[in-house]
Amino acid sequence: MVRIAHYLNQFFAGIGGEDKADAPFEVREGAVGPGRAILLETGDDAEIVQTLVCGDNAFHAGTDAILDAIVATLAESKPDLLIAGPAFNAGRYGLACGAVCSAVSERLGIPSLTGVYPEAPAVDVYRSRVVMVPTGDSAAGMREAVASLVRVGLGLAAGKPLGPADEDGRIPMGYRKAVVTDVPAARRALDLLMAKLAGEPFLSEVALPKGAEPIPPAPAVADLSSAVIALVTDGGLVPEGNPDRIESSSATRWARYPVADLAGNHDPAFLSIHAGYDSQWVDADPNRLVPLDALQALAAEGVIGKVHEFFYATTGTGTTVTHAERMGEEIAKALISDGVHAVLVTST
Amino acid sequence: MIEKHGIPAAHLAAMTSMAKIAGSNRIISSGLIPHPVGDPTRSPEEEFKWRKGQVRKALNAVATPLQEALIFPDW
């Protein structure tokens, strides 16, 4: 019989809602709440030896100490499997489930898993380290969520190796595993092509990253000669020393700098910290990335109204669509509040 | 995202197909990957003149009404 430990927040443990989110960590014997649904699914194949309960706010206020307490508890009870949640689309709860699973598996070697809505914040943070099954976005999907947790969880407890995420019914962990096949790549590629040409279903072996949402074009600038134009780049141009610590790749940060500083280009000089291209030509003359000299000349000639006083920069290499969209939103809002009419973006 | 908020944005890049996939609407083919608005093979004066021309193309793009994404021809 598989011995399961189960993690729940205050809500699913029946303590209360948001007003009880500071409920302290406690250990209860046996199954509580969704744990009973888990046992209905496992039948006699498993028992829940302990339920670990913690309020969502309490968990995030004292994460390290609570994780230590959970690890100490399970080091003693030695369950075969830890199930956390399911947390559905709950932000704090999902993150707590991810943290608990990752601590228990990494520190005790006990297999663990949780169930979350595929777009929940915990997925971005823990997908590479924690086994997760997809659930609906609310507890209305409890039955299906529990069935998936039990199916995948009992496999983990039995030592069954992970297969491809879609075959296992898991959220992809973001890495590829090499397998030996009898059919060479050229032949598989041709099979895919033939299926595509014949209009038959086919499945790419390489998952493409999530694409950007198409956005309808913004209205054109009516009168350039009175327009304020801003410069934006993803080529990683920052003042020497990179004061805003924009990442060289997989950026999560952006910054804006006065074009007056760039026009002088001394003390501090501007350099590219982008790790995805050879920046020697840009470092020698940043106008090759952010065309300030040309735009200022056109402003002086009256072709445009004015060059916006800041240019905006981040690094566009390995940057996730999620972060790129968020940074784009933030930059767009800053441009709007500064009264910018149009933007020139340069990409390396 | 900038266009989503109603500000037209011209995207100058060497990899125009990448710009299209990334969701840009007003795309201008420009320069090479490490220097989209630079051309170190030219003299500084010639390079500046060329860059001004590229910027003018981009300004023309933000002043052009569009229904859907367009890689502007290199006119």
Side-chain angles (χ1 to χ4, degrees), chain B residues 4 8 11-13 17 25 27 39 42-43 49-51 53 57 59 66 69 73:
Chain B
K4 188 179 173 184
H11 193 174
L12 297 125
S17 56
N25 286 327
I27 302 162
D39 183 354
R42 298 174 195 247
S43 72
K49 232 169 96 183
W50 170 82
R51 175 159 53 246
K57 288 181 198 174
L59 290 171
L66 287 185

Side-chain angles (χ1 to χ4, degrees), chain B residues 36-70:
Chain B
V37 284
D39 183 354
T41 65
R42 298 174 195 247
S43 72
E45 298 74 26
E46 284 298 310
E47 184 181 10
F48 173 71
K49 232 169 96 183
W50 170 82
R51 175 159 53 246
K52 224 168 117 183
Q54 296 303 99
V55 169
R56 282 203 91 123
K57 288 181 198 174
L59 290 171
N60 185 57
V62 294
T64 304
L66 287 185
Q67 294 306 311
E68 56 181 19
L70 179 66

Side-chain angles (χ1 to χ4, degrees), chain A residues 10-74:
Chain A
Q10 84 285 353
F11 177 76
F12 285 99
I15 298 172
E18 196 53 45
D19 57 324
K20 301 288 184 194
D22 55 357
F25 173 65
E26 60 170 312
V27 181
R28 299 192 197 171
E29 297 304 310
V32 175
R36 299 200 183 94
I38 289 173
L39 292 183
L40 284 178
E41 193 69 31
T42 62
D44 291 337
D45 294 339
E47 62 174 328
I48 291 183
V49 291
Q50 283 172 324
T51 302
L52 316 164
V53 179
C54 190
D56 285 331
N57 288 348
F59 182 88
H60 290 285
T63 306
D64 290 349
I66 289 161
L67 289 177
D68 286 348
I70 288 172
V71 167
T73 304
L74 299 190

Side-chain angles (χ1 to χ4, degrees), chain A residues 98-150:
Chain A
V100 170
C101 286
S102 114
V104 166
S105 291
E106 285 160 21
R107 285 152 71 176
L108 296 173
I110 295 172
S112 67
L113 80 165
T114 186
V116 286
Y117 184 58
E119 289 174 28
V123 174
D124 260 359
V125 182
Y126 288 107
R127 68 186 302 163
S128 63
R129 291 148 62 193
V130 171
V131 174
M132 296 175 167
V133 297
T135 71
D137 64 354
S138 78
M142 182 64 86
R143 199 146 50 98
E144 295 80 3
V146 163
S148 304
L149 282 169
V150 167

Side-chain angles (χ1 to χ4, degrees), chain A residues 130-318:
Chain A
V130 171
V131 174
M132 296 175 167
V133 297
T135 71
D137 64 354
S138 78
M142 182 64 86
R143 199 146 50 98
E144 295 80 3
V146 163
S148 304
L149 282 169
V150 167
R151 180 174 41 76
V152 176
L154 292 184
L156 290 174
K160 194 176 144 229
L162 294 175
D166 59 340
E167 284 175 24
D168 284 359
R170 291 182 295 104
I171 293 176
M173 296 176 84
Y175 65 88
R176 288 181 219 155
K177 190 172 161 187
V179 291
V180 178
T181 71
D182 298 332
V183 189
R187 177 66 191 272
R188 300 203 306 279
L190 275 178
D191 288 346
L192 281 178
L193 179 62
M194 294 308 284
K196 187 173 186 177
L197 290 174
E200 291 162 6
F202 60 93
L203 185 65
S204 169
E205 292 181 12
V206 180
L208 292 172
K210 185 184 127 205
E213 293 270 315
I215 287 164
V221 173
D223 177 18
L224 277 177
S225 68
S226 64
V228 179
I229 310 287
L231 294 166
V232 177
T233 187
D234 65 18
L237 193 70
V238 299
E240 204 168 0
N242 191 11
D244 297 286
R245 297 175 58 229
I246 295 178
E247 299 91 336
S248 291
S249 67
S250 306
T252 63
R253 289 189 278 271
W254 60 272
R256 65 179 199 176
Y257 302 104
V259 293
D261 290 358
L262 181 59
N265 197 30
H266 48 67
D267 287 336
F270 282 79
L271 297 167
S272 172
I273 47 86
H274 193 296
Y277 71 95
D278 182 348
S279 65
Q280 59 169 308
W281 298 281
V282 166
D283 293 344
D285 181 2
N287 286 299
R288 290 170 173 157
L289 178 62
V290 177
L292 179 62
D293 60 353
L295 195 62
Q296 282 180 328
L298 291 165
E301 291 169 22
V303 175
I304 63 165
K306 197 173 134 216
V307 181
H308 180 49
E309 60 184 317
F310 295 103
F311 79 94
Y312 292 73
T314 185
T315 299
T317 185

